[in-house]
Amino acid sequence: MIHDRRSFLRAGSLLVCGALLRPASIFAQANTTGVLSFDAAELKLLDFVSSYSSIARITGASVLGHFRPDSNSGLRVLVQVTDFVKAADSLLRTPFKRFYAKENSLSFVAQNAGHVIENLSAVDFARRMAQLGGKENAVFAHDALSYDPVAEQLEDPLAALSANEIRLINRPTKTPAALAVAMRGTGDARAAGVPEGSDFATWKAQLVRVMTTAKAAQPIAAAFVRELPAFAGLAGSDDVKSALATPLISSAIKGALGMTAKQAVGEFDRVREIFGQSYPDSGVWLYVILGKQVKRDTRGWIDPALLEDVHWREAFDTASKIEAAFETPELKSQA
């Protein structure tokens, strides 16, 4: 049965109830010190960063999410490095068992949350921080948030915290990019436990209510697949099911992958029943949506840049494990 699509489309006002309401007192403290919450893995990350730099900023949605103690939004940290030899030496003693490193970026998953560390020179750090605060570079107001974990000071140049909602600043004009923004905004809202702003919710509803043509389906479906792991991890499977039921996404998936929304939801539930909670939902969804396409042709669906994304890489690894499990004698008949 297809999940009620209003879950993905629900207006911000419907979220202000029960545990999803974030107390206004938290926002009242936004300019004070020590307002963010970190779990043990995140404290270990910050301690690791402090071993080679005293200047770092937590940025964007990872700031917004950490007003909520049980958020799984992960950390995205920009680090100013003056001694890259010292930073490289610290990497040899990293406390993280499994991580991906490329150039000056390090990413890993801990407790189902994706974390990213970017090590930058002083010049690049200053440039990135200047860009971070600019309205022209932000899609959402919370993209400009930054938090200094040493001084315990928060910067909110676009007043993201004042409205107690996810606020859209710049709207992409192309449908694939717009869908990616819609999914990211919903994921950020769910992870932070804040409502979607009415403007964003209305724009998103208008975006996904129109069916796409078979000719235009592939780039839209590819955008959905790119955002799917993070969306499933942050927003949850109920929102994935409701998103699949919208005219835009259901028609794109059907046109590009030959799969109906009902088939996708049914297969997810079937695979989840077989494996229980052995695998996170993001990997199960990626296996269900993209599994058959990967066997045929990955062009237009998977590229090296995607595998650098912490959420996508972890989900792809999980999907590969599920594929391998179905090749075993015990499960081959259920593949």
Side-chain angles (χ1 to χ4, degrees):
M1 181 175 68
I2 301 300
H3 192 274
D4 187 345
R5 66 186 176 123
R6 286 174 296 177
S7 176
F8 179 58
L9 297 179
R10 57 188 166 182
S13 59
L14 296 181
L15 288 172
V16 188
C17 59
L20 291 181
L21 173 63
R22 186 137 64 89
S25 61
I26 294 180
F27 283 103
Q29 299 174 31
N31 293 318
T32 65
T33 63
V35 295
L36 302 193
S37 299
F38 305 109
D39 63 25
E42 291 162 345
L43 290 173
K44 188 180 293 185
L45 182 156
L46 295 174
D47 187 56
F48 166 71
V49 167
S50 70
S51 70
Y52 62 89
S53 176
S54 60
I55 301 176
R57 298 292 186 273
I58 300 167
T59 63
S62 64
V63 176
L64 186 67
H66 282 82
F67 282 103
R68 181 182 180 184
D70 59 348
S71 172
N72 64 339
S73 62
L75 293 179
R76 181 169 289 272
V77 186
L78 302 182
V79 185
Q80 178 176 307
V81 179
T82 56
D83 188 343
F84 279 91
V85 173
K86 184 178 180 180
D89 184 61
S90 296
L91 184 61
L92 297 176
R93 299 187 301 275
T94 175
F96 318 119
K97 293 181 179 179
R98 296 176 62 243
F99 62 89
Y100 177 90
K102 182 177 180 182
E103 296 176 348
N104 293 321
S105 178
L106 172 71
S107 60
F108 65 96
V109 171
Q111 298 179 357
N112 294 322
H115 305 286
V116 180
I117 300 170
E118 289 187 69
N119 294 318
L120 304 167
S121 68
V123 172
D124 288 339
F125 182 86
R127 176 178 54 80
R128 287 286 295 277
M129 291 304 300
Q131 291 174 342
L132 191 68
K135 186 175 182 179
E136 66 279 4
N137 297 312
V139 175
F140 295 98
H142 65 267
D143 290 343
L145 286 169
S146 67
Y147 180 76
D148 182 343
V150 176
E152 297 186 331
Q153 293 292 330
L154 193 152
E155 296 291 335
D156 183 11
L158 301 184
L161 303 181
S162 62
N164 192 22
E165 64 183 21
I166 295 293
R167 186 158 55 90
L168 184 64
I169 300 293
N170 292 308
R171 304 179 180 184
T173 56
K174 301 293 184 181
T175 301
L179 177 59
V181 165
M183 293 175 71
R184 181 166 76 85
T186 296
D188 289 350
R190 303 293 188 266
V194 298
E196 299 174 358
S198 58
D199 286 347
F200 171 57
T202 300
W203 171 79
K204 183 176 69 171
Q206 292 172 343
L207 171 70
V208 299
R209 73 183 180 186
V210 179
M211 295 181 66
T212 188
T213 63
K215 184 178 180 180
Q218 199 281 332
I220 297 171
F224 175 76
V225 169
R226 282 195 298 271
E227 296 298 319
L228 180 58
F231 184 67
L234 297 175
S237 285
D238 284 347
D239 268 298
V240 176
K241 291 178 179 181
S242 62
L244 281 167
T246 61
L248 178 68
I249 297 173
S250 61
S251 60
I253 294 299
K254 181 67 169 66
L257 295 170
M259 176 184 294
T260 67
K262 183 177 181 179
Q263 288 172 330
V265 172
E267 179 65 1
F268 173 84
D269 291 340
R270 185 186 75 88
V271 173
R272 173 55 72 216
E273 183 177 358
I274 291 171
F275 292 102
Q277 297 301 313
S278 300
Y279 300 112
D281 283 3
S282 56
V284 178
W285 278 116
L286 194 61
Y287 168 80
V288 167
I289 300 295
L290 201 58
K292 292 181 179 179
Q293 181 63 38
V294 167
K295 293 178 181 179
R296 294 194 295 265
D297 188 357
T298 61
R299 289 176 296 180
W301 298 96
I302 301 176
D303 57 54
L306 261 185
L307 295 175
E308 294 174 17
D309 179 88
V310 62
H311 295 284
W312 214 92
R313 188 175 63 251
E314 189 74 7
F316 187 76
D317 181 59
T318 297
S320 299
K321 291 177 180 177
I322 294 172
E323 176 68 27
F326 274 127
E327 292 296 324
T328 62
E330 295 82 3
L331 294 175
K332 197 165 188 177
S333 63
Q334 299 183 61

